Amino acid sequence: MRQNTATPMPRGRPRSFDVDAAVERAMDVFWSRGYHATALPDLLRATRLSRGSLYAAFGDKHSLFLRALDRYIADALARMDGEFDPRNDPVEGLQAYLAGYVERTSGSNGRRGCLLVATAMELAGGDADVGRRVAGFFKAMEAKVTDALSRAKAAGRLADGVEPATAARVLVCFVEGLRVVGKTAPARTTSQAAVDALIGRFLR
């Protein structure tokens, strides 16, 4: 005897907007204004959503902020995966990684600052969700830099006495410090000189 199989009905109405684009627009607002200074009307204007659509898609302001922060972190980690591709020369990867920070900390790019650094200063100490994300990002970055330095050491490219994990911690602290100094919009030559001085102590 043949059984009739009911076809499940779709739940709710399909979303008529690009969720990724909305998250990116929200990220830009949080990046420019900071979490606490960003109001719901700012997000509605930026995402071009109604209040009901925004809450239905993302929950609340904090949840949308976490989505935006996750997007920022994923973009940064993907960029580093390209820079530190194990198929490429590790020293060239380190140079590309540092060159990117010079670009992001000079002139108008520097004045914009880093969403992650700003978030760490504003929220990480009192927001467990944010704190885990910030700590996880720094740990992941440090691991990627350590791996590149370890490969450089195996190739005989590190200076005597340089230990990859320790040097990686120094470099992560250095580049994030560059993002803070970058808020004063230093000249590219200033940021590059600082990079050259530091990396020159690690490489042969």
Side-chain angles (χ1 to χ4, degrees), residues 44-78:
L44 297 179
R45 282 192 297 271
T47 60
R48 304 166 195 168
L49 299 177
S50 67
R51 183 187 298 260
S53 294
L54 187 144
Y55 279 116
F58 303 111
D60 56 15
K61 171 185 167 180
H62 188 258
S63 297
L64 177 54
F65 178 72
L66 292 179
R67 286 281 294 272
L69 188 60
D70 286 342
R71 168 67 178 272
Y72 187 89
I73 289 171
D75 288 347
L77 293 177

Side-chain angles (χ1 to χ4, degrees), residues 128-157:
D129 290 325
V130 169
R132 281 193 295 272
R133 283 165 167 81
V134 172
F137 173 75
F138 288 143
K139 183 176 181 180
M141 187 185 344
E142 193 172 316
K144 293 177 188 299
V145 177
T146 298
D147 178 70
L149 287 166
S150 295
R151 288 186 286 115
K153 183 175 183 177
R157 305 289 299 279

Side-chain angles (χ1 to χ4, degrees), residues 79-103:
R79 182 177 63 244
M80 282 184 275
D81 284 340
E83 293 163 346
F84 294 133
D85 189 325
R87 295 171 296 183
N88 299 333
D89 180 81
V91 172
E92 290 180 1
L94 286 164
Q95 291 169 339
Y97 165 75
L98 292 168
Y101 273 92
V102 170
E103 175 66 25

Side-chain angles (χ1 to χ4, degrees), residues 4 18 21 23-24 33 43 80 99 122 125 130 146 156 201:
N4 292 325
D18 186 329
V23 170
E24 185 169 0
R33 300 176 64 88
L43 295 170
M80 282 184 275
E122 183 179 10
V130 169
T146 298
R201 294 180 177 266

